[in-house]
C-alpha cells in the first residue's frame, strides 16, 4: 500500500502495542513511522516489541519532542507517495485507506481527503 502513517507516541506502550497488533492482524502493507518520545526504559521495551513485528514496515525513531514536532520530524522517513497521521490509539481500516488512495490517483487536483470515522 502506497501510504506512510506517522504515529507520535510517548509512554503509551499499551496503546502502541494494540495498534501494531491490529495492523499485523489486518496484514497492513503500508509504512508505519513511529516517533517515540518515551522514557528510556519504555522506549527500549517499545523497540523490542516493534522489532518482533517482522511482517510490518516500521520506521521507529526516538526523538524527545512534542507531538506536533514529531510529525514534522517524521517527514524525513517517508518512503511512500501518500501520508496520513494517526494517534497511537487510532486505527485506519486498510480498505478505506485504499479507497482514499484510489480517489487521489483519479483526482489529481485534490491534496487531502478523509473517510468515515467510527467511534465507540
Amino acid at each position: 500500500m502506497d501510504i506512510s502513517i506517522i504515529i507520535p507516541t510517548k509512554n503509551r506502550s499499551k496503546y502502541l502495542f494494540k495498534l501494531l497488533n491490529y495492523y499485523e492482524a489486518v496484514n497492513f502493507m503500508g509504512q508505519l513511522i513511529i516517533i517515540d518520545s518515551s522514557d528510556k526504559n519504555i522506549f527500549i521495551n517499545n523497540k523490542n516489541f516493534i522489532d518482533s513485528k517482522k511482517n510490518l514496515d516500521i520506521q521507529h525513531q526516538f526523538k524527545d519532542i512534542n507531538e506536533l514536532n514529531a510529525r514534522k520530524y517524521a517527514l524525513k522517513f517517508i518512503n511512500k507517495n501518500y501520508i496520513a497521521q494517526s494517534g497511537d490509539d487510532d486505527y485506519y481500516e486498510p480498505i478505506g485507506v485504499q479507497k482514499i488512495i484510489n480517489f487521489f490517483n483519479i483526482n489529481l487536483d485534490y491534496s487531502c481527503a478523509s473517510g468515515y470515522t467510527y467511534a465507540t
Side-chain angles (χ1 to χ4, degrees):
M1 184 173 292
D2 197 15
I3 192 163
S4 296
I5 301 177
I6 298 170
I7 306 164
T9 191
K10 182 174 185 175
N11 296 333
R12 289 169 45 104
S13 299
K14 176 176 92 171
Y15 296 103
L16 183 63
F17 294 2
K18 283 177 62 176
L19 180 70
L20 295 179
N21 285 335
Y22 165 78
Y23 282 126
E24 184 176 54
V26 298
N27 197 30
F28 182 73
M29 301 304 291
Q31 178 192 32
L32 302 171
I33 303 171
I34 300 168
I35 307 302
D36 193 339
S37 301
S38 298
D39 298 337
K40 184 176 181 178
N41 60 331
I42 295 172
F43 173 81
I44 291 168
N45 189 41
N46 290 348
K47 180 180 179 348
N48 290 334
F49 183 80
I50 289 167
D51 288 347
S52 75
K53 299 298 179 187
K54 303 293 183 196
N55 295 328
L56 293 173
D57 177 5
I58 302 172
Q59 178 67 241
H60 180 225
Q61 297 289 320
F62 174 79
K63 190 74 170 170
D64 190 13
I65 51 181
N66 65 34
E67 185 177 346
L68 182 61
N69 286 325
R71 289 185 177 116
K72 181 179 175 185
Y73 179 74
L75 297 175
K76 65 175 76 177
F77 302 105
I78 292 169
N79 66 17
K80 304 293 184 180
N81 287 318
Y82 298 102
I83 308 165
Q85 66 88 29
S86 173
D88 57 12
D89 59 351
D90 297 324
Y91 302 79
Y92 287 110
E93 202 281 321
I95 294 171
V97 171
Q98 189 59 57
K99 286 180 180 180
I100 291 172
I101 290 171
N102 293 344
F103 173 84
F104 280 131
N105 288 336
I106 294 168
N107 299 282
L108 301 177
D109 53 331
Y110 282 78
S111 61
C112 66
S114 67
Y116 295 107
T117 300
Y118 296 96
T120 58

